[in-house]
């Protein structure tokens, strides 16, 4: 299947590598392909240059966001939360009629504000939107012709694509969205990743809880002594 | 042990009944004992009159918040989140030097605002504080002589006191706070309730994630078709 992944960060790379290994035709989108390929050092999150990743994964095509979205029959959004709505709105035509799986957390980082707020983790990003709205809903409102599914967001992206690495895979992944067929596409993709317990939370408003879980996820990682390592999952026991 | 439970709602009653069954000397606090005993119909949450509960649980003493707190060697806060800081600040002297386990969610309900925000659940309460602060931290700042532990809040109170009712008890409870001895007291109480997997998340700032998990908890309940029934738990798989 032709799948577009928008973004070149660590999370996007986990999906790109897994999708390629599963035999999909993967099209990667970035804001400025030339700039992405020109980078020689790690980015501010410590991620190595994307061209090193491409060298290890031949056959991956790098495009602009719009060209990648145009290629994909299914699109995964890995654009950072702070920029996602604007970047996706600019390519609304290329995303029309398609399923967009969004895993972005609407974090605002300290370098993006003059008013940091300390936590035990140093300076914890702040969520915006939060509580009475979600990034998933904002994206859906910005893209009324696209079927938005919120998923992946409650799990580190490296273990989203390899759930068996934790507890033999016996933990829970969530989907939310307005379109049943789009949620089924996301569910099928998750099954191909190895997930066995996939819970449909219902409408996209459930993205609020999924995104706000980010703080609990960080706290659990902190309690386990992993400081954002994220090598755990949560199982809904019922 | 002499344990004070502040509040007479459904959650408080679950703790009161369990603590009495475990042989503790339980002292219940309410704003106005005469008014609490005078009520003859269900409250706005549908909870039956407290005097019916007392008739079924002889030996429980009903006091003002301050008198109950003065009696307790350990205190559990079940005052609703909207009123908790003010009510607890008024009895700071009676709480000085004690461990206070707080399980309140800082929800603002629709009848407390002129601007409701619809969700699939009808009108979902809004959290205040949220994201960069928590009710647990607010209470700790208001009561510097008290050792505040946030716990219980990620689980319906009826199953907090009976974890074995779900998956044989194989799910996770969390504690957070600044004082190790106080967290040990909370952990010992949880073990006496039947919990076997109790994760110390660390400092009280982790109450942010615990309180914000309320929306995810509601979403999971919605996904399971239980609409706030809450008969599930979450297990941290690691």
């Amino acid at each position: 299947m032709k799948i577009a992944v928008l973004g070149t960060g660590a999370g996007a790379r986990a999906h790109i590598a897994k999708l390629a290994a599963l035999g999909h035709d993967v099209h990667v989108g970035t804001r400025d392909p030339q700039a992405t390929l020109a980078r020689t050092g790690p980015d501010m999150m410590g991620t190595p240059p994307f061209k090193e990743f491409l060298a290890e994964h031949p056959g991956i095509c790098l495009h602009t966001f719009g060209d990648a979205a145009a290629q994909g029959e299914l699109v995964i959004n890995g654009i950072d939360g702070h920029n996602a709505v604007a970047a996706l709105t600019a390519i609304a035509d290329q995303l029309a009629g398609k399923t967009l799986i969004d895993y972005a957390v609407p974090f605002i980082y300290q370098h993006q504000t003059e008013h940091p707020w300390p936590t035990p983790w140093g300076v914890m990003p702040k969520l915006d939107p939060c509580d009475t709205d979600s990034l998933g809903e904002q994206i859906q409102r910005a893209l009324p012709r696209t079927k938005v599914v919120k998923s992946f967001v409650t799990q580190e992206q490296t273990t989203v694509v390899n759930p068996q690495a934790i507890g033999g895979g016996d933990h829970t992944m969530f989907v939310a969205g307005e379109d049943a067929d789009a949620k089924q596409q996301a569910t099928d993709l998750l099954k191909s990743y190895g997930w066995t317990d996939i819970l449909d939370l219902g409408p996209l408003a459930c993205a609020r809880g999924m995104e706000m879980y980010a703080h609990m996820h960080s706290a659990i990682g902190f309690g386990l002594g992993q400081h954002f390592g994220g090598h755990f999952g949560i199982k809904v026991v019922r």
Side-chain angles (χ1 to χ4, degrees), chain A:
Chain A
M1 189 178 184
K2 293 174 84 169
I3 300 182
V5 178
L6 307 181
T8 59
R13 293 179 200 191
H15 287 280
I16 294 163
K18 182 72 171 193
L19 291 167
L22 289 170
H24 293 290
D25 183 11
V26 187
H27 295 264
V28 179
T30 188
R31 185 177 305 274
D32 179 343
Q34 283 194 308
T36 296
L37 292 173
R39 187 160 65 77
T40 55
D43 68 10
M44 68 181 178
M45 306 297 277
T47 312
F50 192 70
K51 69 177 175 187
E52 292 180 10
F53 175 83
L54 278 183
E56 293 158 9
H57 297 84
I60 306 287
C61 304
L62 186 67
H63 310 269
T64 61
F65 287 140
D67 287 349
Q71 290 291 329
E73 299 165 85
L74 171 70
V75 185
I76 295 175
N77 175 43
I79 303 172
D80 72 277
H82 194 54
N83 295 305
V85 171
L88 294 171
T89 302
I91 58 169
D93 286 345
Q94 293 92 321
L95 291 167
K98 295 176 182 173
T99 294
L100 177 72
I101 306 176
D102 169 46
Y103 70 79
V105 182
F107 272 150
I108 307 225
Y109 290 90
Q110 54 174 315
H111 68 273
Q112 295 166 332
T113 177
E114 292 174 7
H115 305 287
W117 39 88
T119 66
W121 310 281
V123 177
M124 183 70 186
K126 179 176 169 168
L127 291 166
D128 182 15
C130 184
D131 196 22
T132 56
D133 197 6
S134 65
L135 180 61
E137 291 166 278
Q138 286 186 339
I139 291 172
Q140 183 63 86
R141 290 197 298 271
L143 304 172
R145 293 173 290 161
T146 300
K147 294 163 276 183
V148 176
V149 178
K150 193 89 196 187
S151 190
F152 308 165
V153 68
T154 52
Q155 185 77 29
E156 295 295 318
Q157 299 304 317
T158 51
T159 48
V160 164
V161 300
N162 187 19
Q164 267 70 31
I166 299 164
D170 186 24
H171 47 124
T172 309
M173 177 51 63
F174 307 94
V175 297
E178 304 302 328
D179 188 282
D181 291 340
K183 285 194 280 195
Q184 189 59 53
Q185 274 190 287
T187 300
D188 290 344
L189 184 69
L190 285 162
K191 286 180 181 171
S192 77
Y193 282 178
W195 289 91
T196 55
D197 185 24
I198 302 159
L199 182 60
D200 180 357
L201 297 176
L204 197 55
C206 295
R208 299 174 196 183
M210 296 163 85
E211 294 172 7
M212 292 167 75
Y213 171 77
H215 283 309
M216 188 64 183
H217 179 86
S218 297
I220 293 169
F222 188 65
L224 295 174
Q226 295 172 314
H227 298 273
F228 292 98
H231 205 69
F232 63 89
I234 56 164
K235 167 79 180 173
V236 175
V237 180
R238 67 274 202 190

